[in-house]
Amino acid sequence: MEPGHWPSEHSDALRDYFLKGMSYAEVGRQINARFGTAYTRNAVIGRAKRLGLVIPEWIVSPSLAPYLPGEAPVSPRRAVLPNLNVPPKSAMKPAAPLKLRCVGIQPRLIQLVELEPADCRYPYGGDKEGEEIAFCGHPRQPGSSYCAPHAGLTRRSGAASARVPGPVVLKLVVAA
């Protein structure tokens, strides 16, 4: 058995022991005794996370820990919550449509290898799998990678005017 590979029987046993409320160290000992393996506690924790069996502490409160009368309570960290891997209902609602800003120019749709140094580099395409990306290609503004209309799109509306590139002063420091 190569490192990192867990046969399905081992994963099933981990799931069963986890749902019984055993600690990760105890789960590892039980699986190792049952299957003659040498899983560490950390290996058990990693596999449990990949199986979705780890419950974040902020979700669990001690009042959620189920136990039967006469038994020791299950650790709250091991409390089984229904629908653990289901996204919250707020994530299931459709997002509100965004009003996109656009410019009134027709891009030249130039490939990257054909762009000249003075061409606008505003990208088009690439949204779908395998779709090629092309670039605007109109003359760019001095000090910007974009033409005037696209430079306006890349700044927040209402933001202060664009930075004017100026000289950068470097100070040489001699190490002591």
Side-chain angles (χ1 to χ4, degrees):
M1 180 175 72
E2 68 267 5
H5 175 73
W6 281 61
S8 60
E9 313 81 65
H10 299 193
S11 295
D12 293 341
L14 186 156
R15 189 175 290 109
D16 293 340
Y17 294 137
F18 178 86
L19 294 176
K20 288 180 182 177
M22 293 182 174
S23 70
Y24 292 120
E26 183 59 27
V27 169
R29 284 192 290 275
Q30 292 291 330
I31 291 174
N32 290 338
R34 182 170 163 188
F35 297 105
T37 55
Y39 294 123
T40 63
R41 175 182 165 273
N42 285 341
V44 173
I45 292 170
R47 184 61 181 167
K49 284 183 179 181
R50 287 187 294 280
L51 291 172
L53 298 176
V54 178
I55 300 171
E57 289 185 41
W58 59 268
I59 291 179
V60 182
S61 72
S63 64
L64 293 175
Y67 64 95
L68 298 174
E71 284 187 16
V74 174
S75 163
R77 296 183 70 211
R78 301 288 185 272
V80 180
L81 297 178
N83 304 321
L84 179 63
N85 290 325
V86 175
K89 289 183 181 180
S90 61
M92 304 302 277
K93 295 177 185 172
L98 294 174
K99 184 176 190 299
L100 299 177
R101 297 185 297 158
C102 62
V103 293
I105 62 168
Q106 182 64 38
R108 293 175 50 211
L109 300 177
I110 297 177
Q111 298 299 311
L112 179 64
V113 296
E114 299 168 0
L115 276 176
E116 296 294 327
D119 290 341
C120 175
R121 277 147 170 71
Y122 192 85
Y124 283 88
D127 297 327
K128 298 180 184 104
E129 185 70 32
E131 182 181 19
E132 288 191 21
I133 298 175
F135 298 87
C136 170
H138 285 288
R140 66 186 180 101
Q141 284 188 310
S144 174
S145 297
Y146 307 116
C147 62
H150 285 127
L153 278 183
T154 60
R155 288 187 214 98
R156 290 185 186 159
S157 59
S161 62
R163 288 187 325 182
V164 177
V168 176
V169 179
L170 299 177
K171 180 179 177 184
L172 289 176
V173 178
V174 179

